[in-house]
Amino acid sequence: MSKKICIGCGIELQSDYPEKNGYLPVTKLEEKGEHYCQRCFKIKNYGKYMPVRLTRDDYRKVVQEEMANSQLAIAVFDIIDFEGSFDDEILDVLREKDSIVVINKLDLIPDEKHPSEVANWVKIRLAEEGIAPLDIAIVSSKNGYGINGIFKKIKHFYPNGVEALVLGVTNVGKSSIVNRLLGLKKVTVSKYPGTTLKSVRNQIPHTKITLVDTPGLIPEGRISDLVCENCNLKMVPANEISRKTFKVSKGRALIIGELLWFKVLNEDDIKPIFSLYAAKDVTFHETNEERLEELLKTDRGDLLTPPCEDCIHDYRKLEKTKHKVIVKTGEELVFKGLGWISVKRGPLNIEITAPRKAGVIIRDAFI
Ligand code: GDP
């Protein structure tokens, strides 16, 4: 019997090992037509989470194999977690290959930000990484904004057709964009990271453009990857992003979920003003420095979440480090996979306690 492939995630189907990837009961596998593996079927129909069993090395191998055949890279980034969407593997491809960079989830950005402003900001940020794409497309795969623009850009640079490798870390919306471009709902889109297991090849109908959707890499440094799947879901903003403005003084502390916290070190006469942005299910709690330790020792899941009660104990065991940082007016402090702080009146002088693996960086203001 010839090999059958899952049309959702691209993995080879098998009916021998229910606990392995690509499983489908033999009766279903023998049916004619297109098939989804059991995992994609459950994600698609019941929104059920089925963990991925491919390692980061496996992901990497698939991407590297496909690289040789394609002339163009289409790299997808999440505008809400821009630095969290960076991965050295992907940035290296972009430094070498012609690319079109797609910035997704524009619908989550406040209305006053024009897409051309977003594009300029992205261009500068990418240049700092040594990347000069052929073009940048600002889109929302959720509402369809800008999707046709990606198609036009590909056609402009490759009028005779091209095989384009679609790259991106988990959860940036790669599969949603590929589906939009193909004009159908085929590749498995899920709120759970790592849904596409192998590369999935599809020709855009009535064109000579082939899209090769690669599995998502799990990048370094994303705090959302240090919690359980349910908390991960809560930390990826879906409909709106919440913002809260603080005016704080020395002696105060702020706890974000129970994911990380910081003490304000500014001298008494300066009260910095800053806004904190994150998914709406992430709590922000301001307290006194003396109360901080005590609060963190008690289980206050109602006040400090995520992590949830299922993953808090593992999260607390993660090695933590302290960093002192000074963020100036007009700068933003980014917590990869969580959110960012935009300093309105600075400097903001703080001591952060966060997991050692958490990516924390300062950038020029985006919002
Ligand atoms: P992939 O892992 O990169 O293939 O990402 P998916 O296409 O599976 O999408 C990951 C999550 O982001 C899902 O919850 C999507 O519904 C959501 N998502 C994708 N595109 C958008 C978008 O343009 N706007 C918003 N708000 N959410 C999006």
Side-chain angles (χ1 to χ4, degrees):
M1 193 170 64
S2 66
K3 287 179 185 173
K4 287 186 176 175
I5 301 292
C6 167
I7 59 166
C9 68
I11 199 144
E12 189 180 320
L13 294 167
Q14 53 89 16
S15 49
D16 297 327
Y17 307 100
E19 74 288 359
K20 290 195 175 161
N21 291 321
Y23 178 75
L24 189 63
V26 69
T27 46
K28 297 266 178 230
L29 190 61
E30 283 171 354
E31 283 173 11
K32 284 212 172 81
E34 295 183 322
H35 297 84
Y36 282 101
C37 69
Q38 196 170 64
R39 175 176 168 279
C40 285
F41 183 82
K42 288 187 179 172
I43 292 174
K44 194 170 166 292
N45 292 296
Y46 312 126
K48 194 172 158 69
Y49 178 66
M50 306 282 286
V52 175
R53 294 185 184 85
L54 291 193
T55 64
R56 182 181 167 93
D57 282 348
D58 288 334
Y59 280 125
R60 202 183 283 168
K61 220 176 348 179
V62 176
V63 172
Q64 280 170 355
E65 271 167 23
E66 297 292 356
M67 261 201 26
N69 307 321
S70 50
Q71 301 92 306
L72 173 69
I74 297 179
V76 184
F77 295 95
D78 178 345
I79 192 59
I80 284 301
D81 191 21
F82 190 61
E83 280 76 13
S85 330
F86 281 11
D87 186 285
D88 283 344
E89 307 285 327
I90 295 173
L91 298 188
D92 280 349
V93 175
L94 298 185
R95 286 183 193 110
E96 276 173 38
K97 254 194 159 34
D98 282 349
S99 64
I100 292 174
V101 164
V102 177
I103 306 296
N104 190 31
K105 308 196 188 179
L106 182 69
D107 57 288
L108 292 174
I109 294 291
D111 285 346
E112 66 265 27
K113 203 93 191 156
H114 193 270
S116 62
E117 275 181 88
V118 179
N120 277 338
W121 182 85
V122 167
K123 198 172 168 185
I124 294 167
R125 280 297 286 116
L126 289 176
E128 285 166 8
E129 302 291 336
I131 295 163
L134 293 175
D135 212 337
I136 297 172
I138 309 291
V139 312
S140 163
S141 65
K142 188 171 178 182
N143 62 24
Y145 177 89
I147 298 294
N148 205 29
I150 308 176
F151 178 62
K152 284 189 184 151
K153 288 178 202 301
I154 305 174
K155 255 179 64 180
H156 171 76
F157 290 105
Y158 297 92
N160 300 321
V162 69
E163 180 156 318
L165 192 59
V166 190
L167 299 165
V169 300
T170 51
N171 256 341
V172 293
K174 254 188 3 296
S175 305
S176 313
I177 285 171
V178 169
N179 284 336
R180 281 276 187 183
L181 285 168
L182 298 174
L184 45 94
K185 210 167 176 57
K186 200 167 183 185
V187 179
T188 305
V189 175
S190 141
K191 285 189 279 183
Y192 303 100
T195 306
T196 307
L197 294 177
K198 288 215 161 176
S199 50
V200 182
R201 220 175 213 82
N202 276 298
Q203 195 161 356
I204 300 183
H206 318 295
T207 71
K208 288 184 185 148
I209 302 168
T210 301
L211 299 178
V212 185
D213 183 24
T214 61
L217 292 167
I218 298 176
E220 304 280 319
R222 261 191 336 201
I223 300 171
S224 52
D225 293 320
L226 303 177
V227 291
C228 70
E229 290 80 17
N230 283 331
C231 289
N232 181 299
L233 266 187
K234 287 187 174 170
M235 291 170 66
V236 178
N239 300 314
E240 56 184 298
I241 183 143
S242 75
R243 173 173 75 173
K244 193 167 175 198
T245 299
F246 296 87
K247 188 174 175 188
V248 284
S249 52
K250 192 179 164 94
R252 301 292 282 168
L254 218 126
I255 315 174
I256 307 177
E258 200 193 300
L259 299 159
L260 59 85
W261 49 93
F262 57 82
K263 296 176 182 175
V264 178
L265 306 177
N266 288 70
E267 288 313 320
D268 290 342
D269 53 335
I270 301 171
K271 269 196 181 178
I273 301 176
F274 61 89
S275 298
L276 180 52
Y277 295 80
K280 66 175 177 30
D281 288 332
V282 176
T283 60
F284 309 148
H285 185 73
E286 195 188 325
T287 186
N288 275 334
E289 210 180 286
E290 303 83 63
R291 281 266 295 145
L292 183 64
E293 299 304 324
E294 186 192 322
L295 252 177
L296 293 171
K297 266 190 235 135
T298 40
D299 279 322
R300 289 303 308 269
D302 51 335
L303 199 67
L304 312 174
T305 182
C308 65
E309 56 187 35
D310 287 342
C311 63
I312 183 72
H313 298 292
D314 285 340
Y315 193 86
R316 283 182 179 166
K317 281 186 214 145
L318 295 175
E319 188 192 335
K320 307 284 192 309
T321 50
K322 290 184 196 298
H323 325 245
K324 282 189 178 158
V325 294
I326 298 177
V327 195
K328 296 190 280 233
T329 306
E331 286 183 338
E332 288 172 349
L333 181 66
V334 178
F335 308 116
K336 292 186 183 182
L338 171 59
W340 70 92
I341 284 173
S342 182
V343 177
K344 308 293 181 215
R345 191 177 78 192
L348 173 67
N349 186 353
I350 54 177
E351 183 191 74
I352 307 169
T353 306
R356 187 180 54 76
K357 288 186 176 166
V360 179
I361 60 148
I362 294 176
R363 69 180 180 195
D364 283 339
F366 168 59
I367 290 187

